[in-house]
Amino acid sequence: MSSFRIAVIPGDGIGPEVTNAACAVLEQIGRKFDHQFDFSELLAGGSAIDATGDALPAATLAACKNSDSVLLGAVGGPKWDDLPGNRRPERALLDLRGGLNLYANLRPAILFEALSVASPLKAEIVDKGIDIMIVRELTGGLYFGERGRRAGGNLEDGTPMGVEAYDTEAYSEVEIERIVRVGFDMAMGRSKKLTCVDKANILESSRLWREVANKISSEYPEVALDFMYVDNASMQLVRRPNDFDVIVTTNMFGDIISDEAGMITGSIGMLPSASLGKPGTPGMYEPVHGSAPDIAGMDMANPLAAILSAAMMLRWSLSLTREADAIEKAVTDVIASGWRTKDIAYGQDDKVIGTKEMTAKVIASIV
Ligand code: NAD
C-alpha cells in the first residue's frame, strides 16, 4: 500500500463542502486501488484571519511544503471585503503560489458532451464537447515586472502629458523554458499538439518565447508545435475550440484566454485547476470557482470542479494515472446519467441533487 500526505485547505464559503467531497472521493480511490491518503486540514483565507489574524499562517505554508500535494477549496467572502488588499483572504492564494514556487498554472476547459447545452456557443460547434488544456505561466511577465509612475513628457505642441504609469513584460530564457516544457509534457500525455500563444509580431518577449519553444521542440519530436497570435487565438477559441489541444502562454495572456475558454464551457462549477512548481515539489489543486457565499452551507454547491481537481492531483503530482482516469470516468458517467446540481441543470429530464448526493453518486461510480 502506498501512502500520500495531502494538505487540505477548505477555506471559506462552499470551500469546506467541496473539499469534503473531493476527500471522500479520494478515500474511495484509496479503497479501490489500495492507497492511503493522509489528510491534514489547514487554515487559510478568511477563516484563518478570524482564527489567527493572518490569511496564510506560517504553519499552513510549512505544512503545505511538507506535503505531497495541496488541495484547496476557495477563500474569501463579504465578511472580509472591507479589509485592505494585502490583508484580504485572497492574499493567501498569492502567498501560497509564491511560497510553493508554483510557476505553471494548468486550466483545463472541459465541456462534457452531456452538458454541451451549457455552452453559449452554437450546438454544431460544441456538440462533441470541448477538451482544451491551457498552461499559463504564473510567476513572471507583466504581473511581476518592473512597474511604477513617472513624469510623462510633452505632446508635439508642448502640452505636458501628466503622470505616466508603466508595467514591464520581461521573461528570461529559464522562465520560458520551464513553462514550455510543461506544455510539451502535457501534449505528450494528450494528442501531441501544442500551440504557443503570443504576440510575436509586436513583443520582443514573445519573440524570445518562440526561439525557446522552437529549441525545446527538438527534444519532443512527436509533438506538433505551432504558434498563434493572442488576438487570433481568442477568436479561434470561440470559432473552432476543438482545433486546440494544449496551449502554452504567458501570465497575462493565460489569465485572459483561460477565462474565455472556461466561459465557453458554460459551467464554473465544473472547472478544475492545478498550479505546479519544480518536478518533485508539491503542487496545488483547486476548483476555478470562488467561495460562492450566496449558496454556502445549503448543500447546493457543485462538488465536481473540486473532485476533478483531485483527479488532476492524482495525475500530475502523484503519478496515479489509472486512479485519475477512474475519477474522470465516474464524473462523466454520473453526468451522462442525468444527475445534476442546480447550477448545471438545464433540461426537464435533469435529475437535480445536492452536493452530498452528487458526491455519493461519483463514489458509487468508482467500482
Ligand atoms: P464565485 O465563483 O464564488 O461565484 C460566482 C457565481 O457562481 C455565484 O452565483 C455562485 O453561487 C456560483 N458558483 C460558484 N461556484 C459554484 C459551485 N461549485 N456550484 C454552484 N454554483 C457555484 O465568484 P464571486 O461571487 O465573484 O466571488 C465570491 C468570493 O470568492 C469572493 O470573496 C472572491 O474574492 C472569492 N474568490 C475566490 C477564489 C479562490 O479562492 N480561488 C476565486 C474566485 C473568487
Side-chain angles (χ1 to χ4, degrees):
M1 177 187 281
S2 42
S3 70
F4 303 95
R5 287 160 305 152
I6 312 298
V8 182
I9 303 178
D12 308 312
I14 62 169
E17 294 167 70
V18 299
T19 47
N20 273 343
C23 291
V25 170
L26 286 173
E27 272 169 354
Q28 172 68 1
I29 288 290
R31 282 188 288 274
K32 179 167 159 54
F33 292 91
D34 201 23
H35 303 304
Q36 187 178 328
F37 296 101
D38 295 320
F39 300 113
S40 49
E41 202 167 289
L42 305 168
L43 281 174
S47 49
I49 293 174
D50 288 351
T52 69
D54 197 348
L56 183 65
T60 296
L61 181 59
C64 289
K65 284 185 177 167
N66 203 25
S67 72
D68 292 313
S69 195
V70 182
L71 186 65
L72 182 132
V75 297
K79 184 175 175 193
W80 304 280
D81 273 353
D82 294 333
L83 291 173
N86 61 351
R87 294 198 41 231
R88 284 169 62 100
E90 293 81 355
R91 181 77 228 168
L93 300 174
L94 297 177
D95 290 347
L96 277 164
R97 283 176 195 162
L100 297 171
N101 197 13
L102 304 173
Y103 58 80
N105 186 216
L106 311 186
R107 282 273 301 262
I110 305 161
L111 174 63
F112 292 84
E113 213 173 316
L115 284 180
S116 58
V117 65
S119 174
L121 299 185
K122 283 187 195 147
E124 63 258 36
I125 299 179
V126 293
D127 58 356
K128 292 275 176 295
I130 296 173
D131 186 359
I132 305 169
M133 174 67 85
I134 297 178
V135 180
R136 167 189 171 194
E137 201 288 326
L138 204 56
T139 53
L142 198 68
Y143 295 177
F144 289 86
E146 198 186 320
R147 74 195 57 186
R149 292 184 181 206
R150 57 194 169 205
N154 295 323
L155 292 174
E156 293 86 68
D157 66 1
T159 313
M161 291 167 80
V163 173
E164 179 178 86
Y166 63 96
D167 300 275
T168 319
E169 172 94 343
Y171 271 113
S172 66
E173 284 175 296
V174 168
E175 286 174 302
I176 302 168
E177 187 173 323
R178 66 186 184 182
I179 190 74
V180 164
R181 267 184 207 288
V182 175
F184 276 108
D185 289 338
M186 292 289 139
M188 283 300 288
R190 294 171 52 109
S191 68
K192 301 195 170 68
K193 186 170 178 299
L194 177 64
T195 304
C196 182
V197 168
D198 61 31
K199 191 70 185 166
N201 49 344
I202 311 253
L203 300 178
E204 191 56 33
S205 53
S206 288
R207 289 192 271 272
L208 186 61
W209 271 70
R210 286 199 178 197
E211 279 169 42
V212 173
N214 275 323
K215 190 181 84 189
I216 305 292
S217 73
S218 62
E219 296 171 35
Y220 295 86
E222 290 172 61
V223 176
L225 170 69
D226 67 354
F227 297 94
M228 194 179 283
Y229 298 142
V230 63
D231 38 353
N232 188 23
S234 56
M235 290 191 287
Q236 300 309 328
L237 268 172
V238 291
R239 199 169 140 243
R240 45 176 193 93
N242 282 316
D243 284 4
F244 291 96
D245 189 45
V246 182
I247 291 175
V248 64
T249 191
T250 63
N251 200 342
M252 181 181 62
F253 295 157
D255 188 10
I256 298 166
I257 63 167
S258 62
D259 270 8
E260 183 191 7
M263 187 62 224
I264 64 177
T265 70
S267 336
I268 191 161
M270 299 291 299
L271 295 173
S273 80
S275 301
L276 305 180
K278 260 203 333 231
T281 62
M284 186 163 86
Y285 297 82
E286 56 182 313
V288 165
H289 61 71
S291 60
D294 51 334
I295 55 166
M298 296 164 74
D299 194 41
M300 277 170 68
N302 185 343
L304 296 177
I307 290 170
L308 291 167
S309 300
M312 290 186 80
M313 181 178 91
L314 298 179
R315 189 181 303 285
W316 301 115
S317 280
L318 309 183
S319 300
L320 300 176
T321 309
R322 275 183 320 146
E323 292 80 344
D325 288 346
I327 295 183
E328 286 165 2
K329 180 175 182 312
V331 170
T332 308
D333 290 349
V334 168
I335 293 292
S337 305
W339 300 105
R340 304 279 187 271
T341 43
K342 195 158 170 259
D343 58 305
I344 51 168
Y346 300 97
Q348 282 184 337
D349 297 336
D350 291 343
K351 298 175 273 191
V352 179
I353 52 180
T355 312
K356 291 192 181 120
E357 214 181 331
M358 180 58 97
T359 308
K361 295 281 176 212
V362 174
I363 290 172
S365 295
I366 300 172
V367 283

